[in-house]
Amino acid sequence: MLAMMRMMRAPSVLSKGAISQRLLSSTAVPASLGRINHIAIAVPKSKSIAETGNMYATLFGAKVSEPQDLPDHGVTTVFVEFGNTKIELLHPLGPKSPIAGFLEKNSGGGIHHVCVEVDNIAEGIARAQSLGIRALSKEPRIGAHGKPVMFFHPKDCGGVLTEMEEI
């Protein structure tokens, strides 16, 4: 009984500094937060990406782009535009598509990544590296909006694949 009571003892109280340090080490943010540009959703291979986009148009009255192939990224994208943000629908393009790997683990599709805007991609990358956040490539690439982007490892970003896009 005494052993059980010791196990149930309340955790020690942490100072604000200790809490901040613990949060920073477990959920570090790759750059000073800008606006969320988009949330990317991987669409299952069994579903049409265009039809999925049309569902958002019908349900919410959103503006939906035509499908766009991005061979350098191994995806086909459709953007669904709302008044304050976008959803990026992703479909695998080619056998080495990173979305194909995601869909093998998540056959029903789902949220793939979150994209946050930054004013300067080089400064954002430098800040991420100074915090020990791993980039998934050595250099930024041009993303779907024609602007430089960088992806950061989900294990370093609170469990979420995080994209940084220069605006």
Side-chain angles (χ1 to χ4, degrees):
M1 178 77 155
L2 185 57
M4 185 181 283
M5 288 175 65
R6 284 185 184 138
M7 287 175 31
M8 295 172 57
R9 188 178 339 160
S12 61
V13 176
L14 297 173
S15 69
K16 280 187 178 180
I19 292 170
S20 296
Q21 185 60 38
R22 184 173 285 178
L23 285 173
L24 180 62
S25 66
S26 65
T27 59
V29 177
S32 57
L33 282 177
R35 185 175 84 94
I36 291 180
N37 183 282
H38 65 266
I39 297 169
I41 299 174
V43 176
K45 295 176 190 178
S46 61
K47 296 191 178 198
S48 160
I49 192 170
E51 287 177 17
T52 303
N54 288 335
M55 180 273 303
Y56 284 100
T58 302
L59 183 61
F60 298 110
K63 180 181 174 188
V64 178
S65 74
E66 292 296 319
Q68 178 184 3
D69 290 344
L70 300 174
D72 290 347
H73 293 272
V75 297
T76 299
T77 65
V78 167
F79 278 95
V80 180
E81 294 186 38
F82 298 94
N84 60 352
T85 194
K86 297 181 277 291
I87 291 176
E88 178 184 30
L89 302 175
L90 301 169
H91 226 239
L93 179 65
K96 294 185 179 182
S97 170
I99 300 305
F102 178 87
L103 289 171
E104 284 177 20
K105 296 176 189 168
N106 305 280
S107 62
I111 294 177
H112 182 260
H113 69 267
V114 174
C115 176
V116 179
E117 296 176 349
V118 295
D119 291 331
N120 183 307
I121 194 92
E123 288 176 8
I125 292 167
R127 176 144 186 239
Q129 290 173 338
S130 76
L131 294 171
I133 297 171
R134 296 170 286 172
L136 296 185
S137 61
K138 292 184 185 212
E139 297 291 326
R141 297 189 303 183
I142 300 301
H145 297 115
K147 299 175 182 177
V149 300
M150 178 64 79
F151 285 89
F152 295 93
H153 203 290
K155 288 183 179 177
D156 300 335
C157 297
V160 177
L161 177 63
T162 302
E163 179 184 16
M164 185 183 292
E165 179 177 10
E166 185 173 278
I167 55 169

